[in-house]
Every structure is written in structure tokens, then in C-alpha cells.
Amino acid sequence: MAWILILALVGLVVHPENCGEPTSAEVNDAAAKAVSWFGANIGDDGTFVYRYDRAEGEPLGGYNDVRHAGVLLSLYQAESAGIEGAAAIADRGLAYVDEHLQHTPMGIAFGRGPTVRSGSIGLLVAALDERRGALGTDDRDALLLELGRTLSAVVEPDGAVGASIDTKTGSTSGRSPFFTGEVLWALARLHLTFPNREFDETALRVYRYLIEDRDRVESPWPPVSDHWGAYALETMSRWPNADNLRLGPDLELDGTATSDWLRRQLNLFGLQVRYESQRQGGLTHLTRGTVALPAGVGTLGEGIGNYLQFLNRFPEVDVDIDSLNDRARCVAHLLVQRQTSASQAQAHRAPLRLQGAWFREDITQMDDQQHALSALLLLKDWMPK
Amino acid sequence: MSSTLIVLAVICAANPFRVAACAPASVDTRRQAVVVATASTLLAVGLMALLSDPILDLLNVSGSSSRIAAGVAVLIVGIRDLFVQPPSPEPALTGRLAGIMPMAFPTLFTPALVILAISAASARGVVAAFGIIGAVILLVGLIVAANVRGTYWRAAAVGSAGVVIGTLLTLNGVTAI
């Protein structure tokens, strides 16, 4: 009797994990389908279908400039990864960007209205820099450098990043759990592309703030599994002077506790993947709740994918790499499994709104596709052939 | 999952004072029963450790999550030991067979010990896990054979430690990748 009771209580706490092992080809195929979704859901003005309700068969309206930049980024990442046609779709999306560049006292910025968000500028920089590499063109370099100067200006002396910019006065306000990492990654990329423009100084200030002070000062709850921070660390580890900065094997940056940050982040990503994989409907709906937003699942893949690349560069770093590989396969499996297939979409009156998309409770939002796409691209090389 | 955590968790899961409480009173029979209980528990633990990967694969549970399971099991066993009187020597098989029932089963070979063996083998490898757990089981056997009294208060003290160690082990699983 005691055995049954104890095992039942343990079973309430620990559930089976829905983890498989998709092949690299399956993951690449899912990414290509996501690109197709963007191709089928872009308008003449360069915007994408922002939010769609498949139960009602209606777009739900709204738009978000940070997410627009994020979508462009994921499409240029797809082009870099060899999915042809992705950059052409993203280039159509640049029309919306060009329409909404604003001159502010801080410099040029991207966004609508009297306040613009630093995150939209950060992700636009990342997108344009990715485009530069994917297409081998420097036609947007002047804009990239101008946006980089704006980003440098929103960084405070202690490395904190202002979330919003008043386009009239140029003053910044607020903090965002994600913009710090987005701006850091943008600055880190700019230093790789333009090594003589001193973006590294500002990037290092943000980096130090991110890993030492951000959680204490801004107290985000629950703790942020910061996929943008993962992108940034991976990029900074490719800086020509990464060894001098001791960003490498010993994971110390001028005494900064990078290793502590890395381990905290890996634990967060790992726990969230395990938790998400236990959501399998039925009784688990009561104990684990409904599945996470697809964008959220995608960010888990982005974080883990970047850390796998980072750790592959520095194999001597002591982390549980086997478990990390398991979580990578698991999150890729969840994304492949949850994507809307062509046959599922055919039953709908507007199949192109569904095919290749990820839904949660009948709703999809363009950043669901964005994060899932980026994650699949980052993870596919870690999957079995 | 450190060796220290495994050792402490096994001591709590195989609470020696509960085992002592249900051991035969006669010194000679008690020693023979301890040998039987220890040997049969070692055999079962070794089997669990050996089969840890297939069992976890079958249940679709990751090694990290199995630590949570082990922690919760140790925690529950600890709570039980805090509030439930140790078992009495009766009913039991006679003579040295009392080492099988009630000493090994259900007192020494608890669900917590089973899950611990599976989880530790997954984290540390079969040989290392069996080495650590086996050494603690032998230690428990020596304590029981030394004719210590299995009082409620002693068993409850180990139970309270089990609550702490179970919580720590659960947190160890939660914060694992």
C-alpha cells in the first residue's frame, strides 16, 4: 500500500516527457515550411499577418515593430542556412521598415508613434547584419552604422538599456526583460562586422550589466531564460579579441561571473524544455496546464542552439552536455510535431494561413513562426542525419 | 548529483532505525537476518541500477527529472518516518528469512531506494552508483547487526533529515539541465 501511495505521488510530480529525435532533414523541412508561411502571409505594404484565429478564420489585427524586425531576422537566418527565397520575402518586409525609420535626437530609429522601442532597433540591426552575410551585400551598411550609434546612445553608463525612446526629446525610459539582450546582441554583431567602430566597449558594458546586475536590479519574475543573451554570448565568443577578453574556456570576462550566468541559464532552459515536454493533454492539462506559446518554445530552442554552438567552441567548459543535447532534440521534436501540416491545413477554408504555422488554442502570431523558425535553423545541425 | 547527496539520501531512504525495529530480537538470528536483508537489497538495488537506462527510456523520463522523482520519494518516506511508528518484528518470516520480510521488504528496500538507484545510476553510471549505494546499505546492515534499538525517536530523527535531503534532491533535479 505504501509503495502504491508513494509511486502515485511521485507520478503526480514527474510525468513522461514527449521527446523524440527528429532528423536534420525533418527539422530543415519544418523550417522551410515556416518560411513558406511568411511568403504566403505578407502583404503589399511589407507587413505580415500578425495574428490569426483559425477557429474564426479571421486575422485578429494589431502589429508590433519589434516582432516585424524579428521576423526579418529569422528569414535572413533561413537564407543563410540555405533555404532559398527566404531573403526575397524578408526584403519585401524591408519596405515597412523603410516607411517607419524616424530621426530622433538619439539618432535614427525604427518604429511608429511618439515612442519607439530599442528592441526593434536591436533586432533590425541583427536582421540587416544577417542579410549582409546571407546576400553578401553592403548596401545597408550606412543604415546599420547609424542604427548602431542610436543603440549605443540608449545604453546607460552602468550598462542598463533604455526600453523606449521619445522621438521628440530623445529621452529613454523603462526596462524590458528582452531588450537588454537584443541590444547587446546587435552591438556584439556590429563589432564583428565593423571591428574598428568601437561597438565592443558599449557591448561589454551591457554584457556586464546583463549577467551581474540585471536580475538583481530589474527583478524579472519568473527568472528570464534569455535567448537573446545566448545569441549575444555566442557572437561575442567569435570576436577576434575573445581570448584576450577571457570569454573563452575559463569563462571569465574581467572577473565577471560568466560561468554562473551560463549555468543558471542552461538550468532554466533545461527545466523549461522538460516541463513543456510533459504537457501532453489529458490529465497533464490539469497538472501542467496548456502548452506554451509556440514563440516561447521557439525561444527555448534558440537559447539551447546558441549555447550548443558556444560549448562546441569551448568543449572544456564543464556542463552536462549530454543532457543539453537531449533537450535540444526534445525541443526540435516538439516544434516539428506541433507544426501545422499541409493535410491539417487543407481542411481549413484558408489553408495558407495555417500551413507551416504553430498554433496555441487556435491562435497563431507571426512571432510564433519567427522563433520556431530561428530555433529549427539553430538546432538542425545538432540532429541526427 | 553529488556522492554526498546520494549517501545522505540512501541513509534516509533505508532508515536503519526502522529496519532495526523490525529485526529479530535474538542476536544470532538478527545477524543472520541482517545478512539476508542486506544481500537481497544489494541484489535488487544492483538490478535497478543496471536497468536504469531502459527503465527511464520506457517511462520517457529524463535523468534530470528522475532526480526530482527520487527527491520526492525520499521526502515522502521522510514524512512517513516522522509520523508513523516503526514497524514491529511481527508478522514476519521465521529465522533468518525475517531478513526478507519484513526487514528487506518492505522496510529497507523502499520505493525511495528503488528510484534513487535508478536516478543515481543514470547520473553517475551503474558502477559508481552501485558502489556508493551498496556501501551505505552495508553500513545500514552493520548498524542493525550491532543491536541498536529501533526507537520511534531515532527513526523520526532520520525521517526529519529525509525531509531536508529529499527537498535538496528535488531542487537538484529542478535546477539540472
Side-chain angles (χ1 to χ4, degrees):
Chain A
M1 188 62 187
W3 273 69
I4 294 170
L5 185 68
I6 291 171
L7 292 177
L9 287 171
V10 169
L12 269 180
V13 178
V14 177
H15 297 340
E17 292 157 15
N18 172 24
C19 292
E21 196 170 273
T23 64
S24 180
E26 288 171 326
V27 171
N28 195 60
D29 187 49
K33 286 173 182 161
V35 170
S36 298
W37 185 91
F38 285 118
N41 288 280
I42 187 170
D44 292 337
D45 61 352
T47 63
F48 300 88
V49 170
Y50 181 64
R51 202 180 235 205
Y52 186 76
D53 183 337
R54 69 180 168 192
E56 297 296 325
E58 294 288 340
L60 296 175
Y63 212 67
N64 181 299
D65 298 328
V66 183
R67 290 175 177 142
H68 182 84
V71 166
L72 301 191
L73 165 67
S74 68
L75 286 166
Y76 290 124
Q77 285 174 318
E79 186 76 23
S80 296
I83 299 178
E84 288 181 13
I89 301 166
D91 277 350
R92 288 170 63 194
L94 281 181
Y96 177 81
V97 171
D98 292 335
E99 279 289 306
H100 296 94
L101 289 173
Q102 299 194 49
H103 290 278
T104 78
M106 291 289 233
I108 199 158
F110 165 54
R112 296 162 295 163
T115 58
V116 294
R117 286 178 283 183
S118 57
S120 63
I121 306 169
L123 289 189
L124 179 60
V125 165
L128 293 177
D129 189 51
E130 189 72 33
R131 178 181 182 271
R132 191 179 192 276
L135 302 180
T137 174
D138 58 3
D139 62 349
R140 297 260 174 175
D141 277 9
L143 176 60
L144 258 177
L145 288 166
E146 282 191 68
L147 291 168
R149 280 191 283 275
T150 306
L151 287 181
S152 297
V154 302
V155 176
E156 314 237 346
D158 66 351
V161 172
S164 299
I165 305 168
D166 186 309
T167 56
K168 291 253 179 340
T169 65
S171 61
T172 62
S173 60
R175 298 284 181 266
S176 157
F178 298 114
F179 293 178
T180 307
E182 289 170 357
V183 170
L184 171 59
W185 186 36
L187 291 167
R189 291 189 70 127
L190 286 170
H191 179 60
L192 260 187
T193 305
F194 307 105
N196 300 319
R197 300 301 182 111
E198 298 180 352
F199 288 112
D200 56 338
E201 187 276 325
T202 318
L204 287 170
R205 218 165 356 122
V206 181
Y207 181 72
R208 187 187 305 281
Y209 175 81
L210 177 71
I211 68 172
E212 284 193 339
D213 297 337
R214 197 270 303 273
D215 289 353
R216 180 174 50 79
V217 173
E218 300 180 21
S219 304
W221 186 261
V224 176
S225 54
D226 196 336
H227 57 293
W228 299 118
Y231 274 113
L233 182 59
E234 192 283 324
T235 300
M236 290 171 77
S237 72
R238 286 186 281 120
W239 281 0
N241 54 344
D243 287 344
N244 294 339
L245 293 168
R246 302 179 72 198
L247 250 175
D250 55 4
L251 288 174
E252 281 187 32
L253 177 64
D254 299 338
T256 302
T258 304
S259 58
D260 289 347
W261 158 264
L262 177 68
R263 285 187 175 81
R264 275 204 314 275
Q265 286 292 305
L266 290 177
N267 293 344
L268 277 172
F269 281 113
L271 176 65
Q272 288 181 88
V273 171
R274 283 188 279 140
Y275 194 87
E276 185 61 28
S277 68
Q278 293 175 25
R279 290 171 157 159
Q280 300 184 56
L283 282 177
T284 66
H285 194 81
L286 297 174
T287 56
R288 292 290 183 269
T290 189
V291 296
L293 289 170
V297 182
T299 62
L300 300 180
E302 289 176 275
I304 290 173
N306 275 296
Y307 283 128
L308 280 173
Q309 288 188 13
F310 176 82
L311 293 167
N312 189 50
R313 198 164 298 123
F314 302 117
E316 57 274 46
V317 176
D318 181 26
V319 300
D320 183 358
I321 196 73
D322 291 340
S323 290
L324 193 62
N325 275 309
D326 285 345
R327 301 297 97 77
R329 286 189 285 270
C330 189
V331 75
H333 167 78
L334 292 174
L335 289 170
V336 170
Q337 188 188 49
R338 293 178 182 177
Q339 189 178 32
T340 309
S341 68
S343 58
Q344 289 168 324
Q346 284 310 315
H348 193 267
R349 65 181 171 201
L352 292 179
R353 292 274 188 265
L354 275 66
Q355 191 174 327
W358 286 265
F359 285 82
R360 177 182 184 253
E361 296 181 334
D362 287 326
I363 306 290
T364 190
Q365 196 164 282
M366 66 181 189
D367 54 311
D368 289 330
Q369 279 62 264
Q370 170 212 326
H371 288 293
L373 172 58
S374 295
L376 291 166
L377 296 168
L378 281 161
L379 294 171
K380 74 182 172 90
D381 291 338
W382 303 97
M383 299 298 119
K385 298 295 174 200
Chain B
M1 196 185 222
S2 68
S3 301
T4 307
L5 194 56
I6 297 173
V7 167
L8 293 173
V10 173
I11 290 172
C12 297
N15 191 331
F17 300 109
R18 284 184 73 87
V19 181
C22 65
S26 150
V27 174
D28 284 345
T29 313
R30 185 184 184 104
R31 286 183 180 160
Q32 289 171 2
V34 164
V35 171
V36 172
T38 306
S40 55
T41 302
L42 283 175
L43 193 68
V45 164
L47 192 65
M48 289 296 115
L50 202 61
L51 295 175
S52 63
D53 281 348
I55 290 172
L56 290 177
D57 286 347
L58 184 72
L59 297 172
N60 285 328
V61 172
S62 61
S64 304
S65 293
S66 76
R67 284 187 228 176
I68 298 176
V72 170
V74 171
L75 176 67
I76 296 168
V77 166
I79 292 171
R80 180 203 63 183
D81 294 353
L82 259 179
F83 295 106
V84 179
Q85 288 285 340
S88 67
E90 301 292 338
L93 298 175
T94 54
R96 73 181 67 170
L97 290 181
I100 301 286
M101 222 271 293
M103 286 179 68
F105 188 86
T107 314
L108 183 56
F109 189 63
T110 59
L113 193 60
V114 172
I115 302 173
L116 259 175
I118 293 170
S119 182
S122 165
R124 304 292 300 270
V126 174
V127 174
F130 182 69
I132 296 168
I133 297 174
V136 179
I137 297 293
L138 287 174
L139 178 68
V140 169
L142 286 173
I143 291 171
V144 176
N147 219 17
V148 294
R149 288 182 59 212
T151 63
Y152 164 74
W153 290 109
R154 286 175 178 175
V158 176
S160 62
V163 172
V164 176
I165 299 299
T167 305
L168 289 177
L169 190 52
T170 303
L171 289 175
N172 186 271
V174 167
T175 58
I177 295 173

mmCIF file of all heavy atoms in Angstrom, chain A residues 87-103:
data_model
loop_
_atom_site.group_PDB
_atom_site.id
_atom_site.type_symbol
_atom_site.label_atom_id
_atom_site.label_comp_id
_atom_site.label_asym_id
_atom_site.label_seq_id
_atom_site.Cartn_x
_atom_site.Cartn_y
_atom_site.Cartn_z
ATOM 1 N N ALA A 87 15.215 35.264 -48.165
ATOM 2 C CA ALA A 87 15.661 36.662 -48.148
ATOM 3 C C ALA A 87 14.770 37.532 -49.033
ATOM 4 O O ALA A 87 14.545 38.708 -48.729
ATOM 5 C CB ALA A 87 17.119 36.753 -48.608
ATOM 6 N N ALA A 88 14.265 36.957 -50.119
ATOM 7 C CA ALA A 88 13.389 37.732 -51.007
ATOM 8 C C ALA A 88 12.110 38.146 -50.264
ATOM 9 O O ALA A 88 11.625 39.273 -50.424
ATOM 10 C CB ALA A 88 13.043 36.913 -52.247
ATOM 11 N N ILE A 89 11.600 37.237 -49.436
ATOM 12 C CA ILE A 89 10.415 37.571 -48.638
ATOM 13 C C ILE A 89 10.771 38.665 -47.630
ATOM 14 O O ILE A 89 10.047 39.649 -47.464
ATOM 15 C CB ILE A 89 9.889 36.321 -47.895
ATOM 16 C CG1 ILE A 89 9.533 35.219 -48.886
ATOM 17 C CG2 ILE A 89 8.679 36.672 -47.032
ATOM 18 C CD1 ILE A 89 9.329 33.844 -48.234
ATOM 19 N N ALA A 90 11.911 38.494 -46.981
ATOM 20 C CA ALA A 90 12.330 39.479 -45.980
ATOM 21 C C ALA A 90 12.563 40.839 -46.617
ATOM 22 O O ALA A 90 12.220 41.877 -46.038
ATOM 23 C CB ALA A 90 13.590 38.994 -45.271
ATOM 24 N N ASP A 91 13.154 40.852 -47.815
ATOM 25 C CA ASP A 91 13.399 42.129 -48.497
ATOM 26 C C ASP A 91 12.087 42.866 -48.772
ATOM 27 O O ASP A 91 12.038 44.097 -48.727
ATOM 28 C CB ASP A 91 14.172 41.904 -49.805
ATOM 29 C CG ASP A 91 15.678 41.778 -49.557
ATOM 30 O OD1 ASP A 91 16.120 42.045 -48.417
ATOM 31 O OD2 ASP A 91 16.415 41.427 -50.506
ATOM 32 N N ARG A 92 11.034 42.099 -49.041
ATOM 33 C CA ARG A 92 9.720 42.748 -49.202
ATOM 34 C C ARG A 92 9.292 43.375 -47.875
ATOM 35 O O ARG A 92 8.677 44.446 -47.844
ATOM 36 C CB ARG A 92 8.670 41.728 -49.663
ATOM 37 C CG ARG A 92 8.858 41.289 -51.114
ATOM 38 C CD ARG A 92 7.964 40.103 -51.453
ATOM 39 N NE ARG A 92 6.546 40.412 -51.343
ATOM 40 C CZ ARG A 92 5.573 39.484 -51.332
ATOM 41 N NH1 ARG A 92 5.903 38.198 -51.438
ATOM 42 N NH2 ARG A 92 4.322 39.839 -51.237
ATOM 43 N N GLY A 93 9.628 42.724 -46.788
ATOM 44 C CA GLY A 93 9.313 43.265 -45.460
ATOM 45 C C GLY A 93 10.112 44.508 -45.121
ATOM 46 O O GLY A 93 9.733 45.277 -44.229
ATOM 47 N N LEU A 94 11.240 44.720 -45.816
ATOM 48 C CA LEU A 94 12.033 45.929 -45.565
ATOM 49 C C LEU A 94 11.293 47.190 -45.996
ATOM 50 O O LEU A 94 11.601 48.298 -45.537
ATOM 51 C CB LEU A 94 13.373 45.847 -46.306
ATOM 52 C CG LEU A 94 14.474 44.997 -45.659
ATOM 53 C CD1 LEU A 94 15.734 45.036 -46.507
ATOM 54 C CD2 LEU A 94 14.773 45.477 -44.234
ATOM 55 N N ALA A 95 10.307 47.034 -46.904
ATOM 56 C CA ALA A 95 9.526 48.194 -47.328
ATOM 57 C C ALA A 95 8.844 48.836 -46.116
ATOM 58 O O ALA A 95 8.804 50.066 -45.993
ATOM 59 C CB ALA A 95 8.476 47.761 -48.358
ATOM 60 N N TYR A 96 8.355 47.985 -45.202
ATOM 61 C CA TYR A 96 7.710 48.504 -43.993
ATOM 62 C C TYR A 96 8.742 49.211 -43.111
ATOM 63 O O TYR A 96 8.453 50.255 -42.511
ATOM 64 C CB TYR A 96 7.048 47.353 -43.233
ATOM 65 C CG TYR A 96 6.420 47.770 -41.926
ATOM 66 C CD1 TYR A 96 5.165 48.360 -41.891
ATOM 67 C CD2 TYR A 96 7.098 47.591 -40.715
ATOM 68 C CE1 TYR A 96 4.592 48.757 -40.676
ATOM 69 C CE2 TYR A 96 6.535 47.988 -39.513
ATOM 70 C CZ TYR A 96 5.286 48.563 -39.504
ATOM 71 O OH TYR A 96 4.732 48.958 -38.306
ATOM 72 N N VAL A 97 9.930 48.665 -43.059
ATOM 73 C CA VAL A 97 10.993 49.281 -42.259
ATOM 74 C C VAL A 97 11.321 50.665 -42.818
ATOM 75 O O VAL A 97 11.386 51.660 -42.081
ATOM 76 C CB VAL A 97 12.259 48.391 -42.258
ATOM 77 C CG1 VAL A 97 13.435 49.120 -41.633
ATOM 78 C CG2 VAL A 97 11.979 47.083 -41.529
ATOM 79 N N ASP A 98 11.532 50.721 -44.123
ATOM 80 C CA ASP A 98 11.898 52.000 -44.736
ATOM 81 C C ASP A 98 10.833 53.065 -44.501
ATOM 82 O O ASP A 98 11.144 54.251 -44.384
ATOM 83 C CB ASP A 98 12.140 51.805 -46.237
ATOM 84 C CG ASP A 98 13.381 50.959 -46.502
ATOM 85 O OD1 ASP A 98 14.267 50.937 -45.622
ATOM 86 O OD2 ASP A 98 13.453 50.303 -47.556
ATOM 87 N N GLU A 99 9.588 52.628 -44.436
ATOM 88 C CA GLU A 99 8.473 53.558 -44.190
ATOM 89 C C GLU A 99 8.476 54.093 -42.761
ATOM 90 O O GLU A 99 7.869 55.126 -42.497
ATOM 91 C CB GLU A 99 7.132 52.839 -44.430
ATOM 92 C CG GLU A 99 6.709 52.748 -45.871
ATOM 93 C CD GLU A 99 6.283 54.105 -46.429
ATOM 94 O OE1 GLU A 99 5.407 54.730 -45.820
ATOM 95 O OE2 GLU A 99 6.860 54.525 -47.439
ATOM 96 N N HIS A 100 9.088 53.356 -41.872
ATOM 97 C CA HIS A 100 8.965 53.712 -40.455
ATOM 98 C C HIS A 100 10.301 53.972 -39.773
ATOM 99 O O HIS A 100 10.441 53.758 -38.559
ATOM 100 C CB HIS A 100 8.175 52.611 -39.720
ATOM 101 C CG HIS A 100 6.767 52.492 -40.195
ATOM 102 N ND1 HIS A 100 6.379 51.602 -41.169
ATOM 103 C CD2 HIS A 100 5.652 53.189 -39.875
ATOM 104 C CE1 HIS A 100 5.085 51.743 -41.422
ATOM 105 N NE2 HIS A 100 4.620 52.699 -40.651
ATOM 106 N N LEU A 101 11.267 54.449 -40.549
ATOM 107 C CA LEU A 101 12.507 54.925 -39.930
ATOM 108 C C LEU A 101 12.259 56.370 -39.503
ATOM 109 O O LEU A 101 11.697 57.162 -40.262
ATOM 110 C CB LEU A 101 13.667 54.848 -40.923
ATOM 111 C CG LEU A 101 14.153 53.438 -41.269
ATOM 112 C CD1 LEU A 101 15.192 53.479 -42.384
ATOM 113 C CD2 LEU A 101 14.730 52.720 -40.042
ATOM 114 N N GLN A 102 12.659 56.681 -38.279
ATOM 115 C CA GLN A 102 12.431 58.025 -37.762
ATOM 116 C C GLN A 102 13.752 58.639 -37.306
ATOM 117 O O GLN A 102 14.611 57.944 -36.767
ATOM 118 C CB GLN A 102 11.513 57.992 -36.539
ATOM 119 C CG GLN A 102 10.142 57.439 -36.778
ATOM 120 C CD GLN A 102 9.225 57.767 -35.586
ATOM 121 O OE1 GLN A 102 9.168 58.910 -35.148
ATOM 122 N NE2 GLN A 102 8.526 56.775 -35.088
ATOM 123 N N HIS A 103 13.872 59.962 -37.524
ATOM 124 C CA HIS A 103 15.039 60.674 -36.981
ATOM 125 C C HIS A 103 14.689 61.183 -35.596
ATOM 126 O O HIS A 103 13.676 61.846 -35.411
ATOM 127 C CB HIS A 103 15.447 61.813 -37.897
ATOM 128 C CG HIS A 103 16.040 61.313 -39.186
ATOM 129 N ND1 HIS A 103 17.352 60.916 -39.307
ATOM 130 C CD2 HIS A 103 15.464 61.095 -40.395
ATOM 131 C CE1 HIS A 103 17.568 60.486 -40.544
ATOM 132 N NE2 HIS A 103 16.444 60.579 -41.232
#
